[in-house]
Amino acid sequence: MKKFMSKGKFERMNKLSNDQNIIDALALDQRGSLVKGMKTASEKYGKLFSMKMVYDFKEIVSEILSPLSSAVLLDEQMGFKGIQAKAKDTGLIMSYEKTGYDADTPGRLPSLIPDQSAQIMVEKGADALKVLVYYNPNDPDEINDVKKAFAERYGTEGLAAQTPTFFEIVTYDDRYDSKSLDFAKIKPDLVLQSMMEFTKEKYHIDVLKMEIPFNPTYVKEWADGGDYAYTEDQAKGYLKELSDEATRPFIFLSAGVPTPVFQRELKLAGDAGAKFNGVLSGRATWLEGVDIYIRDGKDGLVDWLKRKGTRNVTELTQILSENATPWFEAYGGLDNIQVVDVSNIN
């Protein structure tokens, strides 16, 4: 069965991909977590924190690393300087959701930035939109029905604007800390069930941004003799299961793990035969630079980015070229995509 795609979406998907048709994207839309990290570093080094530090950090990272990436994910609220500084040929993915969630309301419900729309973001240069949704497939229907309706509205809006929609899913269970062994044991099933739901055609999601379906801290062969939740072979199985359920392109998020760990996870996905289509790598690429920026200023950050940050990106690109597959393979190849010109439809 052919996949129908508007000309606008198809062209933008290609802009977001590298010359191997893999999504090799840099995530730089962290807001609350980045502010928190910078405040902590400022206290450590006896510096006075200001929001200008956040704006300038995003600008510098975008300027130096975006030319090495197929796309960069930025938010307009804190990343407006980063948007201006990105390389011209690098695709722009813009965040559409508010940062964080209301802790006083059950269910970690998502909400959109009120003065944005798909059309407004396209007019500002976006090649794609992105939202993050916290999801627990075992939550009550009154919570998950809200999230499913949210996803449908979001996907339909992207459809109308001929703009690819990235949908990031972060799993949780309020009974457990996300770093705990108890949560690690249930995480594979939560991630797999999330894929099974949001890969459905009715959501019109173009790229699913998925967690690695296990916690690397609790893989037996990676755990240095500590507690473990799964063997490496089981972890490979989860990666293959996730891929087998996908009916559209999906990429992995780095979830803030150290660079070598993320690289190891992606190589394992390749070994498992998982047909993933790239990454949106954030903190794994640039997190070390936060401390350096606060301590040593712009010159220190630029020096680190040109050495270590650049190496992080280029090593990731190499790993993707060996392990990821082109985005259109999710639809059975380019020949199976019917590109439709809908520009004259009102």
Side-chain angles (χ1 to χ4, degrees):
M1 191 170 147
K2 280 210 178 265
K3 166 70 179 178
F4 289 90
M5 188 177 288
S6 69
K7 187 167 178 277
K9 264 196 185 184
F10 182 76
E11 288 173 350
R12 289 184 172 116
M13 283 296 294
N14 287 330
K15 181 166 183 190
L16 299 163
S17 312
N18 65 16
D19 55 7
Q20 291 181 293
N21 305 111
I22 290 164
I23 297 166
D24 182 6
L26 174 71
L28 200 49
D29 71 324
Q30 286 75 3
R31 284 160 276 175
S33 61
L34 182 57
V35 169
K36 189 177 172 185
M38 284 201 165
K39 283 181 175 175
T40 302
S42 297
E43 286 173 20
K44 185 162 96 178
Y45 295 114
K47 302 287 175 78
L48 189 65
F49 171 79
S50 74
M51 283 304 295
K52 185 176 184 297
M53 290 174 169
V54 180
Y55 308 149
D56 291 350
F57 179 83
K58 292 193 178 209
E59 178 183 34
I60 297 161
V61 175
S62 177
E63 185 177 355
I64 294 174
L65 297 186
S66 70
L68 307 170
S69 308
S70 68
V72 60
L73 167 62
L74 277 156
D75 58 292
E76 197 178 35
Q77 293 71 34
M78 300 182 196
F80 54 92
K81 282 185 163 184
I83 290 172
Q84 291 168 352
K86 80 162 185 73
K88 182 172 166 287
D89 293 336
T90 299
L92 175 62
I93 309 165
M94 282 181 71
S95 288
Y96 194 2
E97 86 283 353
K98 287 183 185 175
T99 184
Y101 54 86
D102 180 2
D104 295 327
T105 305
R108 306 188 187 191
L109 300 177
S111 57
L112 298 177
I113 298 167
D115 63 351
Q116 296 284 32
S117 72
Q119 204 58 53
I120 288 169
M121 287 186 278
V122 168
E123 286 165 7
K124 290 178 176 177
D127 302 297
L129 317 173
K130 168 256 168 188
V131 297
L132 181 154
V133 171
Y134 293 94
Y135 189 68
N136 179 351
N138 303 315
D139 268 348
D141 286 347
E142 59 260 32
I143 289 171
N144 284 344
D145 286 350
V146 171
K147 295 177 183 182
K148 290 171 186 177
F150 174 89
E152 286 190 41
R153 285 196 300 272
Y154 168 64
T156 306
E157 190 180 355
L159 199 64
Q162 296 191 53
T163 308
T165 45
F166 283 61
F167 193 78
E168 177 177 0
I169 303 166
V170 174
T171 56
Y172 71 96
D173 188 311
D174 284 329
R175 295 174 300 169
Y176 307 120
D177 182 282
S178 63
K179 293 183 170 66
S180 68
L181 176 62
D182 286 328
F183 185 71
K185 288 174 179 175
I186 63 170
K187 184 169 185 172
D189 186 58
L190 296 181
V191 177
L192 184 65
Q193 285 198 56
S194 300
M195 170 68 89
M196 290 166 74
E197 178 61 41
F198 292 104
T199 196
K200 291 174 182 173
E201 184 62 35
K202 69 176 182 176
Y203 294 110
H204 303 295
I205 299 300
D206 295 291
V207 181
L208 284 159
K209 184 183 175 190
M210 302 299 297
E211 297 172 289
I212 298 285
F214 55 84
N215 184 331
T217 307
Y218 298 108
V219 176
K220 183 180 181 182
E221 291 83 348
W222 305 9
D224 299 327
D227 289 332
Y228 69 91
Y230 7 74
T231 65
E232 190 174 81
D233 271 352
Q234 285 174 309
K236 280 174 74 169
Y238 302 142
L239 287 160
K240 183 68 168 67
E241 274 185 84
L242 188 72
S243 171
D244 289 347
E245 289 296 339
T247 63
R248 60 207 56 245
F250 79 98
I251 60 178
F252 286 119
L253 60 112
S254 62
V257 300
T259 306
V261 175
F262 191 45
Q263 293 176 348
R264 190 174 185 180
E265 290 172 335
L266 296 175
K267 288 174 183 173
L268 193 70
D271 291 344
K275 305 290 186 189
F276 71 104
N277 307 106
V279 295
L280 245 170
S281 177
R283 291 167 290 174
T285 302
W286 49 254
L287 185 61
E288 286 176 60
V290 172
D291 253 38
I292 289 161
Y293 174 59
I294 300 298
R295 189 188 68 203
D296 301 333
K298 179 179 178 179
D299 289 347
L301 177 60
V302 168
D303 179 61
W304 182 86
L305 287 168
K306 286 185 173 175
R307 291 181 297 103
K308 186 67 168 55
T310 294
R311 188 160 78 245
N312 288 345
V313 175
T314 53
E315 285 177 355
L316 206 51
T317 301
Q318 183 60 36
I319 289 166
L320 291 176
S321 74
E322 294 165 2
N323 295 281
T325 57
W327 68 267
F328 45 70
E329 293 301 333
Y331 299 121
L334 265 184
D335 292 344
N336 208 41
I337 296 175
Q338 179 78 48
V339 179
V340 183
D341 189 348
V342 295
S343 55
N344 295 323
I345 300 173
N346 292 321

